[in-house]
Amino acid sequence: MSTNLAERVANRRNAPARQPAHRGAAAPQPNLVQFVQSMRGEIARALPAHVANPERIARIALTELRRVEHLAECTQESFGGALMTCAQLGLEPGGALGEAYLLPFWSKKARAYEVQLVIGYQGMIRLFWQHPAAAGLAAHTVHENDEFEFEYGLTPVLKHKPARTDRGRPTDYYAVATMANGGSAFVVLSVEDVEAIRQRSKAKDFGPWATDYDAMAKKTAIRQLFKLLPKSSELARAVAHDEGVRRDTSPEGLDAPPEYIEGEVVEQPSAEQSSVEDVPAEFAGWPEAAEPAAAPDGS
């Protein structure tokens, strides 16, 4: 070892940087693009018989990684879990068809972005039609100038005649289903009912609630209606995994209950305020996750 201080400083400056050693540290993981490529075989095995295009599922997932901000920064476990749920249910994981949405949330507990899967309006409808007893399903928006009448009870009534022009603002949303045995059921939600449910959603101010409000309001009515109807196993699983985080990419992970994370928007601090505690500056303004006291009731 040189005894000359200047030599020692120069040698240290020119030496390659060393990564800090952590006991039990895992080997570097591939990025999510490589991860999706490596999952193609698992996606192919997970797809239902009537969906035979694993390449399309993988391609859509790669497109979503480039399109949705912060999605590529999510943990592999949550991204893989959401992708496997889409594959096993036969839903496309992108907003083009409105079947399912992959949304990134900052988890304060995990100190990382995680993917939460939101089943879309079209996804719920598609899964309903897989039930052998399904005969019809529709959801509509009622406007203030429409003729609309409904009544619950032993002889329920539902009549809706949309106005031809100038329908006015939305006032209600409803979903109605008929079954092969001749039975039927419907649910009507006022705008205030929909808003109360939206406010409980972790994605209430962005994602499909921001871009496709009308479709999400109809999905809310459909989801309430599903509580009254027989459900296929796929539909029951979709309802269970809607807005949840799945970290198990094995096929059995679809049968395990996901983790539900209540999201809160982290407000941008003003010049007079300090940064939000425990939230990195680059994540400010994005949803913050915290464990709920109890699992949601499925609303």
Side-chain angles (χ1 to χ4, degrees):
M1 180 183 293
S2 172
T3 57
N4 185 288
L5 179 60
E7 266 183 48
R8 293 203 306 271
V9 171
N11 291 339
R12 179 173 297 179
R13 181 176 300 162
N14 295 329
R18 295 168 56 188
Q19 296 295 328
H22 297 287
R23 181 178 299 179
Q29 295 180 323
N31 60 35
L32 283 182
V33 173
Q34 296 169 318
F35 183 61
V36 171
Q37 299 285 359
S38 70
M39 284 188 65
R40 291 193 177 197
E42 296 177 52
I43 293 173
R45 290 188 292 271
L47 284 173
H50 63 279
V51 182
N53 195 342
E55 295 296 322
R56 177 171 173 79
I57 298 292
R59 186 168 64 250
I60 292 173
L62 294 175
T63 300
E64 290 297 288
L65 284 174
R66 294 190 294 268
R67 188 183 68 84
V68 180
E69 188 177 10
H70 293 293
L71 188 60
E73 301 168 38
C74 291
T75 63
Q76 288 186 12
E77 294 80 8
S78 65
F79 187 88
L83 196 56
M84 282 296 288
T85 298
C86 288
Q88 289 177 279
L89 295 176
L91 302 178
E92 292 194 357
L97 294 183
E99 293 185 349
Y101 301 84
L102 306 178
L103 300 182
F105 277 74
W106 173 255
S107 171
K108 188 173 181 180
K109 177 181 177 181
R111 295 190 62 79
Y113 275 120
E114 292 190 305
V115 178
Q116 292 178 328
L117 176 66
V118 174
I119 308 297
Y121 166 60
Q122 295 296 338
M124 289 290 187
I125 292 177
R126 178 173 180 172
L127 293 172
F128 169 80
W129 280 108
Q130 294 178 15
H131 196 290
L137 178 67
H140 295 283
T141 305
V142 180
H143 296 257
E144 59 184 348
N145 294 331
D146 296 350
E147 293 182 24
F148 183 63
E149 177 186 356
F150 77 97
E151 181 178 337
Y152 294 123
L154 295 178
T155 55
V157 174
L158 178 66
K159 295 181 180 179
H160 180 206
K161 185 177 180 180
R164 298 292 296 270
T165 59
D166 187 23
R167 296 183 64 189
R169 62 179 180 83
T171 59
D172 301 273
Y173 296 89
Y174 70 90
V176 58
T178 55
M179 309 305 290
N181 61 5
S184 64
F186 68 84
V187 165
V188 178
L189 298 178
S190 67
V191 169
E192 292 76 18
D193 294 332
V194 172
E195 274 298 292
I197 294 173
R198 184 185 72 88
Q199 288 297 326
R200 298 200 296 270
S201 170
K202 60 192 70 62
K204 62 181 182 294
D205 294 320
F206 63 100
W209 273 117
T211 60
D212 302 285
Y213 184 94
D214 197 61
M216 286 297 288
K218 292 177 183 176
K219 172 205 163 179
T220 302
I222 288 175
R223 181 162 178 165
Q224 298 300 313
L225 177 63
F226 283 165
K227 296 178 180 180
L228 309 176
L229 301 177
K231 294 185 283 292
S232 65
S233 58
E234 292 82 5
L235 182 54
R237 289 164 173 165
V239 171
H241 281 267
D242 188 24
E243 299 194 4
V245 173
R246 171 182 171 183
R247 301 184 183 90
D248 182 359
T249 59
S250 69
E252 295 76 18
L254 188 62
D255 295 316
E259 183 174 352
Y260 291 93
I261 300 176
E262 291 296 336
E264 297 179 1
V265 175
V266 182
E267 297 181 354
Q268 292 279 3
S270 63
E272 294 80 14
Q273 294 175 324
S274 60
S275 298
V276 179
E277 184 179 2
D278 290 334
V279 179
E282 63 268 27
F283 300 132
W286 280 83
E288 178 180 332
E291 293 300 319
D297 60 2
S299 297

